[in-house]
Amino acid sequence: MFKHLRKWFVTHFFGHSRQRARLVSKDGRCNIEFGNVEAQSRFIFFVDIWTTVLDLKWRYKMTIFITAFLGSWFLFGLLWYAVAYIHKDLPEFHPSVNHTPCVENINGLTSAFLFSLETQVTIGYGFRCVTEQCGTAIFLLIFQSILGVIINSFMCGAILAKISRPKKRAKTITFSKHAVISKRGGKLCLLIRVANLRKSLLIGSHIYGKLLKTTVTPEGETIILDQININFVVDAGNENLFFISPLTIYHVIDPNSPFFHMAAETLPQQDFELVVFLDGTVESTSATCQVRTSYVPEEVLWGYRFAPIVSKTKEGKYRVDFHNFSKTVEVETPHCAMCLYNEKDTRARMKRGYDNPNFVLSEVNETDDTKM
């Protein structure tokens, strides 16, 4: 009891004071910024304007959406007002009765703006219209109609693409809050639980990991965020996962694993970040998506396993209890991977037996001292 209270006290009162810097947050966002980018490089974002608009947040996208339409309506409204002003169609010029204006019923800037809106969105109330007396007005009408179609196509396409991005599908893929280290199949493994909250599948799913840590090369170069591949598997392999129910993926801690030289006592003092990726194709849209999360040493529990969450009801249906999704149970686990392998090696030698080279067999001659 005292052990658990001490662990809770340390986690809640001292854990927040030593927050580790994370490259990837728990919900998959990358915590990185680019500094001192040249102005020429920033111009590239405007060259690829489509991707730039798609990556914008909704508040900025809606601002651009509203500004593009209102701005174009007002700009062409000024041009229609200028045409009426040059052709002396406005009431302040007192046109004659036989005067034919370029645009009927434009009496000022407000009516010019309304005619610009009607032209671009093809409403056409029929009260204001272009006459055949002015070639400039006909050219302006054609130009605004074409530009209006381009603006409508771009902005509506950007809104639709933003809504249908597979990034939103990734929100329905969840990882366990903690990773655990325990024995699985006689091997010491690092285990993570992942679940698909939708009934639609991710086709061709592939899961892998990257261990990020600061390393120093033999030449003395310090590499920040050095990436080490971490292979995750399930019992059926890590390719084409049948992702219909929550899966427990695991990484075998063998001599080739970066976790091999870690122990239960030294794990909290380590400085690393384990980033886990899940790639797949959305079944309904055939769009590829990637889900990612990360774990720091404080989120890796040594000597625990996940509680079972899949059961079968009396009606014959399989039920997944997400209440126990991140729940862990303490189990007996070796405090280091080397201890487990040394224990196995010792047991194997005891079963095989071995010769003692220092053992020498000496013969003893027996004498019969009994006389008859």
Side-chain angles (χ1 to χ4, degrees), residues 1 34 99 130 148 160 168 213 251 253 267 307 309 333 372:
M1 183 67 181
F34 301 98
H99 179 75
V130 178
L160 179 61
K168 300 302 180 182
K213 60 186 303 185
H251 163 72
I253 304 179
L267 180 63
I309 60 174
T333 305
M372 298 298 294

Side-chain angles (χ1 to χ4, degrees), residues 180-192 229-235 248-261 274 337 340-341 344:
V180 298
I181 295 178
S182 60
K183 292 174 63 177
R184 186 184 182 93
K187 301 177 181 179
L188 192 64
C189 301
L190 183 143
L191 301 98
I192 297 173
N229 290 327
I230 302 295
N231 296 322
F232 283 97
V233 296
V234 294
D235 293 333
T248 300
I249 61 174
Y250 61 91
H251 163 72
V252 179
I253 304 179
D254 54 15
N256 297 323
S257 171
F259 296 96
F260 185 75
H261 297 285
L274 176 61
L340 178 62
Y341 282 90
K344 288 183 177 180

Side-chain angles (χ1 to χ4, degrees), residues 15 42 66 82 101 110 176 185 193 219 232 263 277 279 289 295 303 314 346 364:
R42 293 180 181 273
I66 296 173
T110 302
S176 57
R193 179 172 278 173
E219 295 77 17
F232 283 97
F277 302 86
D279 299 337
C289 69
Y295 298 92
K314 296 181 179 179
T346 301
V364 178

Side-chain angles (χ1 to χ4, degrees), residues 245-318:
S245 63
L247 297 175
T248 300
I249 61 174
Y250 61 91
H251 163 72
V252 179
I253 304 179
D254 54 15
N256 297 323
S257 171
F259 296 96
F260 185 75
H261 297 285
M262 299 182 189
E265 297 81 7
T266 61
L267 180 63
Q269 286 76 39
Q270 299 292 327
D271 185 15
F272 66 83
E273 181 178 355
L274 176 61
V275 184
V276 183
F277 302 86
L278 174 63
D279 299 337
T281 303
V282 182
E283 185 180 25
S284 56
T285 62
S286 298
T288 58
C289 69
Q290 182 183 88
V291 193
R292 52 186 176 265
T293 189
S294 69
Y295 298 92
V296 293
E298 290 81 2
E299 296 170 344
V300 180
L301 305 179
W302 194 296
Y304 288 82
R305 64 172 175 83
F306 291 111
I309 60 174
V310 180
S311 60
K312 193 173 183 179
T313 62
K314 296 181 179 179
E315 293 78 12
K317 293 184 178 180
Y318 293 94

Side-chain angles (χ1 to χ4, degrees), residues 40 45 62 74 80 111 155 160 175 193 220 222 233 244 246 279 303 309 332 342 355 359:
Q40 184 179 1
F45 291 94
M62 295 307 300
F74 183 74
W80 286 116
S111 57
M155 298 309 302
L160 179 61
F175 288 89
R193 179 172 278 173
T222 302
V233 296
I244 192 64
D279 299 337
I309 60 174
E332 183 179 355
N342 292 336
D355 296 332
F359 179 77

